[in-house]
């Protein structure tokens, strides 16, 4: 199933930018390929109208790994000679060491590493404030985010894995003080993990249009596209259901084959079948993978959102996870 047009766009929540429904994620994807392949993949994304890149400096908390993925991304941007209008950037602000490590410093380091002042971008389009752990002064977080918006670091923001009460307080603080509220949530979401996005936790805000959904880790670190024993570090197994996910892969294959599609196309089409989804963040590491993923667009058009969801109904494996709407520390 091939797609040769331009990737469609959706709004990344109220106040957010118009973005392509495909987004390339950065958790070590740029250092999983050779330089030639990086350049080819980024050029293909630009040509397909899908140049939305999630790029972060991973050197805090559990991510203190001295990753070079953002450095390599910046080098590729400069080597390709891309104009800033050719692509969109989604950055990260980490809460692991906040407020000791403030947002201004984090933004300065992130931008410097991807080439600000040396032909690279001078700002992000949007950012995610993520990896919520511990007792955080949420009202101050909203104020500090606003300070970075006023400084020109980015224009909109989203959240990742925030407890219900914290998100409610952030929205209330923004409304009461005339500050910029979060416009989207980046969440684990896909064929097998749906409770956080479709349940009581975030579902209310998606249903009423307060937030848009940015779906991430839809392939469970590659398991749902056939890499059943990942050799690299992948996302946390929240709820301890990974063995069940591995066991479900043959059913994913069967359903995809029934639509004359690949598992990757099915997984992305499922995410986009949810009207709350603004875009799907994935970690393709080759033009071939990217082009295969593009086939999700004609698949969704041909089968329809209802048909996709009905076919995949029994793949929902985390129905009981976070049923009470409380974020629990990830199971490693």
């Amino acid at each position: 199933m091939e797609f040769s047009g331009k990737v469609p766009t959706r709004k990344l929540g109220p106040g957010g930018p118009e973005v392509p429904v495909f987004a390339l994620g950065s958790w070590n994807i740029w250092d999983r390929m050779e330089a030639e392949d990086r350049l080819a993949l980024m050029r293909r994304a630009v040509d397909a109208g899908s140049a939305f890149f999630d790029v972060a400096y991973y050197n805090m908390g559990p991510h203190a790994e001295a990753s070079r993925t953002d450095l390599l991304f910046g080098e590729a941007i400069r080597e390709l000679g891309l104009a800033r209008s050719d692509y969109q950037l989604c950055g990260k602000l980490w809460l692991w060491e906040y407020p000791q490590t403030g947002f201004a410093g984090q933004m300065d380091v992130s931008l410097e590493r991807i080439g600000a002042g040396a032909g690279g971008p001078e700002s992000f389009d949007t950012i995610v404030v993520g990896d919520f752990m511990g007792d955080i002064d949420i009202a101050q977080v909203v104020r500090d985010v606003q300070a970075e918006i006023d400084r020109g670091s980015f224009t909109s923001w989203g959240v990742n894995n925030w407890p219900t009460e914290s998100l409610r307080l952030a929205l209330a603080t923004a409304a009461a003080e005339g500050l910029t509220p979060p416009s989207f949530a980046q969440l684990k979401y896909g064929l097998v993990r749906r409770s956080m996005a479709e349940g009581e936790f975030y579902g209310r805000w998606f249903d009423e249009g307060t937030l848009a959904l940015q779906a991430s880790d839809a392939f469970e670190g590659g398991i749902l596209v056939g890499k059943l024993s990942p050799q690299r570090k992948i996302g946390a197994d929240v709820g301890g259901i990974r063995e069940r996910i591995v066991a479900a892969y043959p059913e994913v294959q069967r359903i995809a084959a029934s639509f004359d599609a690949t598992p990757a196309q099915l997984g992305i089409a499922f995410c986009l079948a949810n009207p709350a989804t603004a875009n799907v963040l994935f970690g393709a590491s080759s033009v071939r993978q990217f082009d295969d993923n593009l086939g999700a667009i004609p698949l969704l058009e041909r089968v329809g959102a209802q048909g996709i969801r009905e076919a995949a109904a029994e793949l929902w494996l985390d129905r009981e996870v976070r049923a009470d709407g409380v974020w629990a520390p990830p199971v490693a």
Side-chain angles (χ1 to χ4, degrees):
M1 191 174 302
E2 296 182 358
F3 177 78
S4 58
K6 291 288 186 180
V7 170
T9 62
R10 296 181 181 180
K11 190 80 167 174
L12 193 59
E18 193 78 13
V19 297
V21 298
F22 279 22
L24 280 168
S26 74
W27 191 21
N28 300 324
I29 73 164
W30 301 113
D31 46 12
R32 297 208 308 267
M33 61 189 95
E34 299 298 325
E36 182 179 348
D37 296 324
R38 269 195 301 276
L39 296 173
L41 177 58
M42 291 173 68
R43 171 51 65 188
R44 179 71 181 102
V46 171
D47 291 344
S50 188
F52 182 104
F53 303 114
D54 180 276
V55 181
Y57 176 39
Y58 294 93
N59 201 31
M60 287 187 186
H63 303 309
E65 303 163 340
S67 168
R68 298 187 67 250
T69 196
D70 55 333
L71 297 173
L72 296 171
F73 171 83
E75 290 174 6
I77 284 287
R78 295 190 294 277
E79 187 165 345
L80 287 168
L82 296 179
R84 185 61 180 86
S85 59
D86 289 335
Y87 59 93
Q88 293 171 293
L89 285 181
C90 179
K92 286 288 201 307
L93 286 172
W94 303 110
L95 293 172
W96 295 104
E97 299 172 10
Y98 174 87
Q100 290 77 17
T101 303
F103 291 163
Q106 291 190 46
M107 283 286 94
D108 289 346
V109 170
S110 287
L111 288 167
E112 179 183 1
R113 285 174 64 89
I114 58 178
E122 300 290 335
S123 66
F124 291 93
D125 293 279
T126 191
I127 58 96
V128 176
V129 180
D131 278 13
F132 190 105
M133 299 293 285
D135 185 19
I136 301 290
D137 184 344
I138 295 301
Q140 191 59 46
V141 167
V142 178
R143 297 177 192 123
D144 288 348
V145 166
Q146 185 66 54
E148 287 308 295
I149 291 174
D150 294 343
R151 196 164 71 108
S153 298
F154 48 84
T155 58
S156 64
W157 66 292
V159 300
N160 180 18
N161 299 333
W162 281 34
T164 302
E165 288 305 316
S166 297
L167 180 53
R168 183 181 291 113
L169 177 57
L171 292 167
T173 300
E177 300 184 16
L179 307 176
T180 304
S183 65
F184 69 100
Q186 183 187 98
L187 303 175
K188 277 178 175 284
Y189 180 67
L191 291 166
V192 297
R193 295 189 188 268
R194 312 179 194 178
S195 292
M196 201 169 186
E198 296 190 11
E200 295 181 0
F201 189 50
Y202 277 87
R204 74 193 77 172
W205 287 299
F206 293 145
D207 290 344
E208 66 189 26
T210 301
L211 298 173
L213 169 63
Q214 185 177 77
S216 70
D217 204 14
F219 301 149
E220 194 74 13
I223 291 171
L224 293 178
V225 293
K227 300 174 183 177
L228 303 184
S229 300
Q231 299 303 303
R232 61 181 178 85
K233 181 179 178 181
I234 64 174
D237 179 15
V238 180
I241 63 172
R242 189 152 287 155
E243 288 186 7
R244 294 174 60 200
I245 293 173
V246 171
Y249 177 65
E251 180 64 5
V252 174
Q253 282 184 302
R254 186 195 67 78
I255 296 170
S258 75
F259 293 136
D260 192 25
T262 66
Q265 291 166 356
L266 175 66
I268 294 173
F270 173 83
C271 293
L272 294 177
N274 185 339
T277 303
N279 61 9
V280 182
L281 186 65
F282 55 80
S285 56
S286 69
V287 171
R288 179 191 60 78
Q289 287 182 352
F290 181 83
D291 284 343
D292 180 66
N293 290 353
L294 284 175
I297 296 171
L299 170 62
L300 182 59
E301 292 174 348
R302 178 166 56 87
V303 178
Q306 182 175 349
I308 295 288
R309 290 186 61 85
E310 287 178 352
E314 297 306 314
L315 291 173
W316 185 354
L317 300 182
D318 72 339
R319 291 177 187 272
E320 306 305 320
V321 177
R322 300 193 187 90
D324 60 356
V326 175
W327 168 252
V331 178

